[in-house]
Amino acid sequence: MHLLKLVLKSSGKRGVIQGGVLSPLLSNIYLNELDKMLEKAKMTTTEGKYIRLEYARFADDLVILVTYHRNSDWLLRAVKYRLMQELDKLGVSLNRDKTKVVNLRIKRESFVFLGFIFRQRDYARPEAGHIKLPKPGARKALLTKLKKIFRTLRSRPIEWLIQAINPMLRGWLNYFRIGNCSKGFSYIKWWVIRKVRRNMMRAKLRNGFGWKRWNNDYFYQTLGLYEDYRIRYQ
């Protein structure tokens, strides 16, 4: 599978402010014609149940997937040509630094889209499909934010701490739980319970983590620490 990963940027007087609150909505309206072109290309190249081209776009972040076959190089070239034509009509240019063509059958080739990194599951067996994981640094960013809360509320009641970290855990886990993230989720769960236990023991002026003093159910069921780390495979 070839993949054309593109990040669009506005040019001229019709630009959309990147990062603005209305950017996704304005981009969806502004780039509606681009969607129509890609949808037509998808329908035109589909043969029965065999789809040669697929695409996904959120605001100005776009990926176009082209089936991998030695006789399909023409399709990749044609899509790029039509894409440039359409963007030129809209007065939109490509962010050259973030735009690239990826062959997912090649080892270490991958792309990032909406916070996930996509890559081949097994490079020796392309038929095994692909996996998606949180992009590099996503877990580290979460733990950094949690550490700050733990430091800030170190001397506060444990209930305050749990109320502060629960929304962060719920939001991050709900977003990434549709991916192949079981190992990463297990690490976060282990990390959080240790930090909560450590805070509890420090409040009692004791060392350690209180493994013999409390079982984990006490934190999850009695204190209400967020505990849904299940993956929702789609």
Side-chain angles (χ1 to χ4, degrees):
M1 178 179 290
H2 288 294
L3 177 132
L4 183 57
K5 173 67 166 62
L6 310 106
V7 177
L8 312 178
K9 61 180 180 180
S10 58
S11 62
K13 297 181 179 180
R14 293 179 294 174
V16 176
I17 300 175
Q18 293 203 359
V21 176
L22 294 177
S23 290
L25 175 60
L26 294 176
S27 294
N28 286 336
I29 297 173
Y30 193 60
L31 297 173
N32 186 52
E33 292 302 314
L34 180 63
D35 292 341
K36 290 181 180 179
M37 183 274 289
L38 290 171
E39 192 64 32
K40 182 178 179 180
K42 174 182 174 181
M43 295 176 61
T44 301
T45 56
T46 296
E47 298 179 1
K49 295 183 179 180
Y50 187 62
I51 299 176
R52 292 179 177 272
L53 182 148
E54 188 58 273
Y55 71 96
R57 181 179 65 81
F58 179 80
D60 58 357
D61 203 352
L62 168 70
V63 292
I64 302 174
L65 301 130
V66 179
T67 184
Y68 180 85
H69 192 277
R70 62 179 179 272
N71 295 325
S72 295
D73 287 344
W74 69 269
L75 180 55
L76 182 62
R77 292 193 300 269
V79 169
K80 291 171 65 176
Y81 178 76
R82 281 290 293 116
L83 179 68
M84 297 307 297
Q85 283 186 319
E86 198 64 36
L87 294 180
D88 187 58
K89 287 194 299 183
L90 294 172
V92 175
S93 62
L94 294 179
N95 186 322
R96 299 291 180 179
D97 294 332
K98 297 182 179 180
T99 296
K100 61 180 180 178
V101 177
V102 174
N103 185 342
L104 294 181
R105 293 169 64 96
I106 298 177
K107 192 172 184 179
R108 290 186 293 274
E109 289 275 334
S110 63
F111 71 96
V112 175
F113 185 58
L114 300 183
F116 286 91
I117 182 169
F118 294 78
R119 64 173 176 81
Q120 189 85 15
R121 181 184 298 275
D122 185 345
Y123 292 101
R125 297 186 306 112
E127 67 277 5
H130 307 87
I131 61 174
K132 51 183 178 291
L133 303 163
K135 69 179 182 180
R139 186 178 73 181
K140 182 179 179 180
L142 171 67
L143 298 185
T144 298
K145 293 178 181 179
L146 290 174
K147 286 179 182 178
K148 183 177 180 180
I149 294 178
F150 276 103
R151 288 195 300 268
T152 302
L153 300 180
R154 180 176 297 175
S155 61
R156 300 294 184 178
I158 192 65
E159 291 81 4
W160 290 28
L161 173 64
I162 290 176
Q163 288 179 11
I165 66 174
N166 272 357
M168 294 181 61
L169 288 171
R170 184 182 296 109
W172 197 93
L173 294 167
N174 281 343
Y175 186 82
F176 287 110
R177 72 170 74 251
I178 64 171
N180 307 88
C181 314
S182 56
K183 290 184 179 179
F185 278 24
S186 295
Y187 178 84
I188 294 172
K189 185 176 184 178
W190 171 84
W191 186 93
V192 169
I193 193 66
R194 281 172 57 89
K195 293 288 287 186
V196 172
R197 284 177 168 276
R198 191 75 187 95
N199 270 42
M200 289 274 285
M201 291 297 284
R202 282 175 175 167
K204 297 181 178 299
L205 302 179
R206 293 180 177 273
N207 295 321
F209 299 92
W211 299 111
K212 294 182 179 180
R213 184 183 291 263
W214 310 286
N215 59 30
N216 286 345
D217 287 344
Y218 174 73
F219 295 93
Y220 295 124
Q221 298 177 15
T222 303
L223 297 181
L225 178 64
Y226 189 77
E227 63 171 334
D228 185 2
Y229 289 80
R230 292 175 296 172
I231 303 297
R232 309 290 202 272
Y233 291 106
Q234 293 186 343

